[in-house]
Amino acid sequence: MSLNLSVIGTGYLGVVHAAAMVQLGHTVVAVDVDEAKITQLSAGKAPIYEPGLPELLAAALATGRLTFTTDYGRAADAHVHFVCVGTPQRPGENAADLRYVDASFEELAKHLHGPTLVVGKSTVPVGTAQRLDEMLRAKAPGGPDVTLAWNPEFLREGFAVKDTLHPDRLVYGVEAGPRGERAKALLDEVYAATIADGTPVVVTDFATAELVKASANAFLATKISFINAMSEVCEAAGADVVSLAEAIGHDDRIGAKFLGAGIGFGGGCLPKDIRAFMARAGELGADQALTFLREVDAINMRRRSRMVDIAREQCDGSFIGKRVAVLGAAFKPDSDDIRDSPALSVAAQVRLQGAHVTVHDPQAMDNARSKWPDLSYADSALEALQGAHVVLHLTEWQEYRELDPKVAAEHVAQRRVVDGRNKLDVARWTAAGWTLRALGRPTALATG
Ligand SMILES: NC(=O)C1=CN([C@@H]2O[C@H](COP(=O)(O)OP(=O)(O)OC[C@H]3O[C@@H](n4cnc5c(N)ncnc54)[C@H](O)[C@@H]3O)[C@@H](O)[C@H]2O)C=CC1
Ligand SMILES: O=C(O)[C@H]1O[C@H](OP(=O)(O)OP(=O)(O)OC[C@H]2O[C@@H](n3ccc(=O)[nH]c3=O)[C@H](O)[C@@H]2O)[C@H](O)[C@@H](O)[C@@H]1O
């Protein structure tokens, strides 16, 4: 059945969700407080770089069943409202900043007059849904007829369209009893096409649904920091973390995914989510349970410093007067997202230590320029390499993996490259006369 939906918040999560829901057959009003974003979206232009999004958005707009607005009133008639606003880290603290979630629920509540389902998708600390449920019942004019569900999102940037249309699982946090059953039935209608494809559905309570999301991201972050801890030991022992990861990854119980050692995780989610999780556990008196996440965070941040150290070594011990080329600004390839980007964090530290740093990224240049205006930027990878004493490969875009090291060599002052993602072909680069250093790999690899 085709439903009327609203999507509140059209950022990395919301815009993909809104367009995907149209693809599933529904009619969607998408609301954001950012007027510029709404104007852009109404004109059919995606405000972010996400593979497949322009096509999905164009197809959704062409149906006439997708509209964008800053007016919550236009969402009033929806059967189901999905809340997708941001939950960033509170400045100077570990805890999540819930001001956008609170503001959007307060505003939405004013427009809920009859039976409606509100679905939280934002990542929130456990206990938030219960609090918001009580708020909606107290403040919405249709109070007793308004039901809340929590339906956390697990999409990855760069694969957001596929992950939204074909998720690994759906999780519904609902209350016990007939209201929860109605919420489940309505969510099953929303996701009917996805469920028909065989997507498993886990139905649980609010608190468990919130914790599923927090623990999934904590597990992923832990897996990355585990391999990066092994990377530190490999460096000390003269061993190779890439071979090690391949070998342990063959064990099904461990699995090969998320064992990519390098400069670590960044982005608008894993770093802030593990910190918010620790903060919330502390409030609940369960802080001891998550002290290991402090180590996960510390290992991750140490990778950035280690990268700077290796880059400095490659500049013969000092960055003063040296030119450093940085390939990559986004926190991961196939995204323009620079939130807590390890690449830009390294670039900024190298610049602070005296180097002239030139950054290139295939998609994140505008975002990088506006957040880090003191760095220099080049329009192409080869231009960034011009006169460089060392090249830092920090975000593994396909374009960089395909760079011809012989051509690259013609642009630099010294053929020295540090692979912060362990994705460059060592044999190709060393055959072209480059010294290649990588994190957690033997120095002997460097010269082939
Ligand atoms: N980015 C991702 O890949 C994923 C994000 N999440 C979670 O989803 C939530 C949103 O994340 P992103 O989309 O990355 O954030 P974002 O910062 O890209 O987007 C948030 C959007 O909400 C809008 N907004 C803020 N206050 C509003 C209000 N009162 N009413 C309407 N709109 C409002 C902002 O203008 C912005 O467009 C977060 O909780 C995040 O942890 C979950 C899974 C994946
Ligand atoms: O809550 C969220 O927002 C999302 O956070 C992550 O998705 P995302 O941040 O888009 O990207 P990932 O692919 O998880 O990568 C995160 C970071 O880890 C790094 N990474 C990833 C994998 C790896 O093996 N090694 C590694 O260093 C990436 O370079 C990147 O900086 C999760 O993978 C999603 O399931 C989740 O929905």
Side-chain angles (χ1 to χ4, degrees), residues 153-157 213 217 220 224 258-260 264-266 269-270 273 331-332 421:
E153 176 58 53
F154 303 95
L155 70 81
R156 300 157 296 168
E157 289 176 26
K213 176 64 198 176
N217 275 2
L220 294 171
I224 298 169
F258 267 66
L259 288 180
F265 60 82
C269 291
L270 297 190
D273 285 352
F331 84 105
K332 67 183 287 191
R421 293 295 183 179

Side-chain angles (χ1 to χ4, degrees), residues 373-437:
D374 291 344
L375 295 166
S376 298
Y377 294 92
D379 289 334
S380 71
L382 290 179
E383 190 188 323
L385 262 46
Q386 209 56 47
H389 295 93
V390 65
V391 178
L392 309 184
H393 174 241
L394 302 184
T395 313
E396 67 275 32
W397 286 91
Q398 181 89 12
E399 173 182 337
Y400 302 146
R401 285 190 269 158
E402 287 172 357
L403 257 183
D404 183 339
K406 289 197 204 102
V407 176
E410 291 163 13
H411 294 260
V412 293
Q414 301 185 147
R415 294 179 194 190
R416 294 183 184 177
V417 60
V418 188
D419 186 0
R421 293 295 183 179
N422 284 323
K423 287 290 190 315
L424 297 181
D425 183 336
V426 178
R428 262 181 87 222
W429 283 76
T430 52
W434 287 78
T435 299
L436 187 148
R437 284 281 283 117

Side-chain angles (χ1 to χ4, degrees), residues 323-329 356-366 368-369 375-386 399-400:
R323 298 185 77 88
V324 176
V326 166
L327 299 183
H356 181 275
V357 179
T358 306
V359 180
H360 174 262
D361 190 282
Q363 294 293 339
M365 298 281 274
D366 290 347
R369 259 196 205 99
L375 295 166
S376 298
Y377 294 92
D379 289 334
S380 71
L382 290 179
E383 190 188 323
L385 262 46
Q386 209 56 47
E399 173 182 337
Y400 302 146

Side-chain angles (χ1 to χ4, degrees), residues 7-15 31-35 37 48 50 72 83-88 99-105 107 121-124 152-158 160 213 217 268-269 272-273 331 337 339:
V7 172
I8 314 291
T10 58
Y12 283 88
L13 164 59
V15 69
V31 185
D32 204 291
V33 289
D34 184 335
E35 280 187 28
K37 204 176 267 190
I48 55 165
E50 179 62 46
Y72 272 74
V83 180
C84 301
V85 301
T87 49
R99 82 178 84 168
Y100 308 105
V101 168
D102 289 344
S104 59
F105 269 79
E107 189 56 35
K121 283 199 85 63
S122 302
T123 302
V124 293
E153 176 58 53
F154 303 95
L155 70 81
R156 300 157 296 168
E157 289 176 26
K213 176 64 198 176
N217 275 2
C269 291
K272 62 104 173 151
D273 285 352
F331 84 105
D337 194 347
R339 288 177 289 184

Side-chain angles (χ1 to χ4, degrees), residues 314-338:
Q314 293 304 306
C315 285
D316 304 319
S318 169
F319 284 123
I320 309 292
K322 300 288 167 42
R323 298 185 77 88
V324 176
V326 166
L327 299 183
F331 84 105
K332 67 183 287 191
D334 296 320
S335 174
D336 65 349
D337 194 347
I338 57 150

